[in-house]
Amino acid sequence: MASSLEKAKQNPDSMKAKILTAARKIFGQYGFHGTTTRMIAKAVDIDISTLYYHWGEKGDLYEAVIMDVSEGMRQKLIEVEKIIKGRPLAERIRIAVDEMADYLFEHPEISNLTLFRYFTKTRHGSILDFKVPEYISDIAYSMGLAEDRKNVPADAKMKVLSIMNSIHNFVSGEKFFRPMMKMDREEYIKAAKDTLKFFNLTAFT
Amino acid sequence: MASSLEKAKQNPDSMKAKILTAARKIFGQYGFHGTTTRMIAKAVDIDISTLYYHWGEKGDLYEAVIMDVSEGMRQKLIEVEKIIKGRPLAERIRIAVDEMADYLFEHPEISNLTLFRYFTKTRHGSILDFKVPEYISDIAYSMGLAEDRKNVPADAKMKVLSIMNSIHNFVSGEKFFRPMMKMDREEYIKAAKDTLKFFNLTAFT
DNA sequence: GATTGATTCCATCAATTGATTGATTAATTG
DNA sequence: CAATTAATCAATCAATTGATGGAATCAATC
């Protein structure tokens, strides 16, 4: 059964998909309460009622956005796991950091929305409290921090959380941190990757 | 010259200070756009016009809140720097992590508001684009990552940013991460500190 | 080419939200 | 105590915002 979200993604030129793409970006920049349905509609150059026709109420669109970025992350993690499989740990870390950083710097709204979800309360709590699968245990297993995918020790999960969040921090914080560092975008991405590798390579090798 | 903010803090029982305290908490939970002036007024049990009488427009109150938490951080960092002065590096790290984590877990709105400021756009950009001093260079110097307080290399700043954000992540993410870890609050704080020490001790000693 | 269904927009609602005005009460001062 | 100032609230505004109904347009089907 193809969900409403899956159907929308099938044809990226469909109005439904175009709205989703714009919503990802704007929700990512301004958060749930900072985004109005009119902002999204304007970005797609449609009337706001067209947006409601396709996605229903704001909270439903937001949920679809979260599911969408979450699925993107899942795919990317599977892809990275394939690449690093069998390699020595130091190399696994270097590749994983590079791959994830490149992916997220290219889609910063993923980091933004992820951090938003972690840190922010919404006034409509119950409505937006849908469940999203997290991949912390899988990453821990893939890093060799657990013998068993289903039974990952808490300290390993905490380490993975810390690593993932650190990547998100550099991506989402670019607008704020880069001027502090007086770097151009390329330099900043390089510096972020180096910093991440510095902490993770010394910690795990 | 005592600023409006300083005057408010002189007497914590004053209406102005009570509003500021409530605003800190609520802005920290819901962000700028997720907070209404009515929510704050209700928390203090006053009419909304009383709030406006004391603090003027919403953006001005928000600015005062940011300045307030920023000043709190500055004070705490000075305090920590005094404690760790002269000790060996590993001990400096252990103490600093414990002190900062305890302080922030006690005042989670500081972490919330800091991360909000890093990651979120506000629709009223220009108005809320006031400048707040950051203490990244001071911390880098205090950690021995720079010879000169005024001339801190970029990679050292990036490392400090990463460390500080990691602490904020665990504090602000508690509501989200702790259920994942199935820990009570005490266990979670301990686990967060241990994780932070794990990365930082292996990286710097 | 008429009919049906899907899509889009215009107009509009009711509720919320930031902000103010003016009257009222509480403190302060001479 | 009278007079002035400070603090509070009730009432209200205008603008914004989430959401909808219904007319108009477009596309597919017969």
Side-chain angles (χ1 to χ4, degrees), chain B residues 15 38 45-50 53-54 123:
Chain B
M15 183 52 69
R38 281 172 178 83
D45 199 35
I46 54 171
D47 188 89
I48 156 185
S49 55
T50 302
Y53 171 78
H54 284 287
R123 265 137 58 193

Side-chain angles (χ1 to χ4, degrees), chain A residues 31-33 62 115-122, chain B residues 28-31 34 112 116 120 172 175-176:
Chain A
F32 181 75
H33 290 298
Y62 184 72
L115 294 176
F116 260 123
R117 207 157 47 89
Y118 289 166
F119 302 147
T120 308
K121 259 188 180 171
T122 43
Chain B
Q29 290 177 310
Y30 297 92
N112 296 347
F116 261 124
T120 309
S172 288
K175 194 176 48 67
F176 201 97

Side-chain angles (χ1 to χ4, degrees), chain A residues 22 26 29-30 34-44 51, chain B residues 123:
Chain A
I26 299 177
Q29 289 176 310
Y30 296 92
T35 299
T36 69
T37 49
R38 281 172 177 81
M39 288 164 71
I40 300 169
K42 194 170 184 184
V44 192
L51 184 152
Chain B
R123 265 137 58 193

Side-chain angles (χ1 to χ4, degrees), chain A residues 15 38 45-50 53-54 123:
Chain A
M15 183 53 70
R38 281 172 177 81
D45 199 34
I46 54 170
D47 189 87
I48 156 185
S49 55
T50 302
Y53 171 77
H54 285 286
R123 264 135 60 192

Side-chain angles (χ1 to χ4, degrees), chain B residues 46-65:
Chain B
I46 54 171
D47 188 89
I48 156 185
S49 55
T50 302
L51 185 151
Y52 278 89
Y53 171 78
H54 284 287
W55 284 107
E57 65 185 47
K58 185 185 176 185
D60 291 342
L61 175 55
Y62 184 72
E63 177 169 341
V65 164

Side-chain angles (χ1 to χ4, degrees), chain A:
Chain A
M1 49 173 173
S3 74
S4 169
L5 178 64
E6 284 157 14
K7 254 192 281 182
K9 301 289 287 186
Q10 275 170 24
N11 175 11
D13 285 338
S14 72
M15 183 53 70
K16 197 162 183 179
K18 278 201 271 187
I19 296 171
L20 187 73
T21 302
R24 255 177 83 129
K25 190 173 157 192
I26 299 177
F27 275 130
Q29 289 176 310
Y30 296 92
F32 181 75
H33 290 298
T35 299
T36 69
T37 49
R38 281 172 177 81
M39 288 164 71
I40 300 169
K42 194 170 184 184
V44 192
D45 199 34
I46 54 170
D47 189 87
I48 156 185
S49 55
T50 302
L51 184 152
Y52 278 89
Y53 171 77
H54 285 286
W55 285 106
E57 64 184 45
K58 185 185 178 186
D60 291 341
L61 175 56
Y62 184 72
E63 177 171 340
V65 164
I66 298 295
M67 293 302 176
D68 187 40
V69 302
S70 186
E71 176 57 19
M73 273 294 273
R74 199 179 68 85
Q75 297 280 0
K76 185 68 199 179
L77 287 169
I78 290 172
E79 183 193 322
V80 171
E81 200 173 357
K82 270 186 198 151
I83 300 175
I84 63 178
K85 196 167 229 170
R87 298 181 194 249
L89 182 54
E91 208 183 326
R92 287 217 299 276
I93 291 173
R94 267 190 286 265
I95 294 173
V97 165
D98 282 336
E99 287 286 326
M100 290 312 299
D102 282 335
Y103 176 68
L104 292 172
F105 270 110
E106 213 170 319
H107 306 281
E109 74 278 10
I110 298 179
S111 291
N112 296 347
L113 287 161
T114 303
L115 294 176
F116 260 123
R117 207 157 47 89
Y118 289 166
F119 302 147
T120 308
K121 259 188 180 171
T122 43
R123 264 135 60 192
H124 313 74
S126 49
I127 305 172
L128 299 179
D129 248 358
F130 47 88
K131 225 187 126 201
V132 178
E134 304 290 329
Y135 310 106
I136 304 302
S137 288
D138 295 309
I139 299 171
Y141 174 79
S142 168
M143 285 182 67
L145 297 176
E147 309 284 317
D148 178 1
R149 221 177 249 274
K150 292 283 156 209
N151 195 10
V152 179
D155 72 299
K157 285 189 199 171
M158 291 291 279
K159 284 170 189 166
V160 172
L161 263 184
S162 182
I163 297 167
M164 292 305 297
N165 286 338
S166 288
I167 305 181
H168 289 315
N169 289 158
F170 280 125
V171 174
S172 287
E174 180 183 352
K175 197 177 46 70
F176 201 96
F177 301 144
R178 190 146 70 77
M180 283 174 54
M181 301 295 152
K182 300 188 179 82
M183 294 174 179
D184 63 31
R185 182 143 211 265
E186 204 183 350
E187 286 168 337
Y188 176 77
I189 294 177
K190 172 82 163 57
K193 286 178 181 176
D194 287 346
T195 308
L196 292 163
K197 286 175 200 163
F198 167 76
F199 281 105
N200 288 301
L201 286 173
T202 55
F204 293 113
T205 62

